[in-house]
Amino acid sequence: MNRIFFAATALAAIAIGTASPTLAANARKASFGKLPDGRDVSAVTLTNGRGISATVIALGASLQALLMPDKAGKVEDVQIGYDTLDGYLAKPEFFGATVGRVANRIAKGRFTLDGKVYHTPTNDGANSLHGGTKGFDKVLWEVTDVKSGPAASVTLRYVSPDGDMGYPGTLTTYATYSLDEKNQLTIEYRATTDRPTVVNISNHAYWNLAGVGAPRGAMGHVVTIPAERYTPTDATAIPTGQHVPVAGTVFDFRKPRAIGDRVRDARDPQIAYGRGYDHNWVIGKAVTPTIHLMARVVEPVSGRSFELWSNQPGLQFYSGNFMNGTITGKKGQIYRMGDAIVMEPQLFPDAPNQSAFPSVRLNPGQTYLNLMVYKLNTQR
């Protein structure tokens, strides 16, 4: 089934105060290190006049750091990951990365398009995860544009050749990160193809609004997700195809709830399957022409919070269940279960194999668009 991806026509906004016309956001490019083959990995830091800064690295077009103040004005990095390039090369774990060509899981690394069967490498048990063994998170993107101004921005480009990780068609993708004086961090993914293919690109930022190294982790974060239904999975995290009401389940975040209240409630077999939350919430039925609220996250102690808005129909919420103490990250912290959360606006998992889900098909002449806006705030 063909589906046109609509461009967003409006951005709603909330801010930490009213932006002054005298303020201007700044973009600064530097080097984050070199790959083993000698290629340089650029880092671009976007900074506004309100104490927010975001650093994006060209490896995986990744959000490497996001600094924001708490209610006392103390600035902390709220993105877990690594301080240096070596960590991203040795054990990447999708920290802050752009994931694709197809984000999330494809059952058994297999799908059919126009009667032809395609295979992509399996890297999550029997399934393919986030594009396969060398997805968009593990390639060096080209920095094509860096701008300062009312919104500081960086645009990166990657051309995935026909047959890359088994996917058909040459896919040209642009990732643009921008930060404005309303404290909105916007991530926009656009892609075009020269032949029919499947596309589902998202961002895999790991959030701990308490700040990197905070011993309380992220399980005290209070989450709201405006979804009536979610898509349960089998034991391998592949959706069964059902849309199940959240009412009366541990998946009901229609009213604000702390993640830790129910994340280990294994009386629900879905929690046992994922060792916590690693599921898709059904926000809508299709990509929309304007952005809508996907989630609200508040860290009560620091007062830091964000609202996530996007044009996508699905939200994958992952509660950091598979971090097991084998990774040492920023500030020498050992990352453990529940130290950070991920919220990925996207199309549904295994959509290439599930005709009842919104289509991930992209045809020549169409433009794929995933637009996500993090409205950063500090509650006083």
Side-chain angles (χ1 to χ4, degrees):
M1 179 180 69
N2 292 345
R3 182 168 56 78
I4 298 175
F5 291 76
F6 295 92
T9 58
L11 295 179
I14 59 173
I16 311 173
T18 302
S20 165
T22 62
L23 295 175
N26 176 261
R28 178 175 54 86
K29 185 178 179 182
S31 175
F32 195 67
K34 293 186 181 295
L35 297 177
D37 63 9
R39 289 180 296 165
D40 186 69
V41 177
S42 296
V44 176
T45 299
L46 313 175
T47 305
N48 71 9
R50 302 186 178 279
I52 306 286
S53 71
T55 298
V56 177
I57 60 173
L59 182 65
S62 303
L63 181 64
Q64 186 270 332
L66 178 64
L67 277 64
M68 63 183 295
D70 67 6
K71 58 188 176 185
K74 184 179 180 182
V75 175
E76 296 279 2
D77 189 355
V78 298
Q79 293 294 313
I80 74 166
Y82 300 106
D83 290 315
T84 66
L85 181 60
D86 289 344
Y88 291 95
L89 295 175
K91 202 162 187 180
E93 301 297 324
F94 308 109
F95 288 135
T98 296
V99 287
R101 179 180 303 196
V102 174
N104 219 306
R105 295 171 175 87
I106 295 178
K108 300 179 181 178
R110 179 184 183 277
F111 65 93
T112 301
L113 184 67
D114 293 335
K116 183 176 178 180
V117 177
Y118 294 90
H119 297 270
T120 189
T122 55
N123 57 336
D124 183 56
N127 304 318
S128 179
L129 176 65
H130 296 324
T133 50
K134 192 176 181 181
F136 285 4
D137 61 299
K138 295 180 180 67
V139 299
L140 185 64
W141 294 56
E142 175 192 4
V143 175
T144 61
D145 193 37
V146 178
K147 291 180 179 177
S148 298
S153 67
V154 56
T155 298
L156 306 98
R157 176 177 181 261
Y158 177 64
V159 179
S160 175
D162 181 33
D164 186 16
M165 290 288 101
Y167 293 103
T170 299
L171 189 78
T172 301
T173 303
Y174 288 89
T176 299
Y177 291 79
S178 60
L179 177 67
D180 66 17
E181 291 301 332
K182 295 180 179 179
N183 291 333
Q184 295 183 133
L185 176 68
T186 300
I187 306 174
E188 178 186 283
Y189 295 116
R190 291 181 179 268
T192 56
T193 183
D194 63 356
R195 53 182 289 209
T197 191
V198 290
V199 182
N200 184 26
I201 303 168
S202 192
N203 184 271
H204 209 278
Y206 276 85
W207 295 83
N208 181 359
L209 293 172
V212 170
R216 61 185 180 272
M219 293 301 93
H221 288 29
V222 177
V223 169
T224 309
I225 301 175
E228 301 286 335
R229 295 175 179 270
Y230 80 104
T231 53
T233 73
D234 64 18
T236 71
I238 295 298
T240 63
Q242 298 171 293
H243 292 190
V244 172
V246 299
T249 77
V250 298
F251 294 88
D252 191 352
F253 284 93
R254 292 174 296 175
K255 294 182 179 179
R257 291 295 299 260
I259 299 167
D261 285 354
R262 300 174 294 183
V263 71
R264 294 183 174 90
D265 188 350
R267 290 174 295 180
D268 189 317
Q270 289 295 309
I271 294 293
Y273 287 161
R275 303 185 192 177
Y277 297 111
D278 191 9
H279 295 78
N280 171 65
W281 272 254
V282 179
I283 306 294
K285 296 181 179 180
V287 174
T288 55
T290 58
I291 59 173
H292 45 263
L293 180 66
M294 306 290 287
R296 182 180 296 109
V297 181
V298 178
E299 206 286 305
V301 179
S302 68
R304 297 186 186 98
S305 68
F306 67 78
E307 284 189 354
L308 173 56
W309 292 61
S310 179
N311 63 340
Q312 297 296 294
L315 177 72
Q316 185 80 12
F317 169 34
Y318 169 56
S319 53
N321 319 320
F322 294 94
M323 292 188 290
N324 59 8
T326 62
I327 301 168
T328 301
K330 294 177 180 178
K331 295 185 177 180
Q333 182 188 19
I334 294 175
Y335 294 146
R336 296 187 180 276
M337 180 182 290
D339 277 348
I341 64 171
V342 180
M343 290 193 164
E344 303 162 84
Q346 58 185 253
L347 296 160
F348 297 177
D350 197 37
N353 293 314
Q354 308 217 22
S355 59
F357 285 180
S359 174
V360 295
R361 182 186 180 110
L362 182 69
N363 291 319
Q366 296 177 331
T367 298
Y368 168 89
L369 173 66
N370 185 349
L371 181 64
M372 55 189 79
V373 181
Y374 290 95
K375 301 178 181 183
L376 307 171
N377 201 354
T378 300
Q379 299 182 351
R380 303 297 178 180

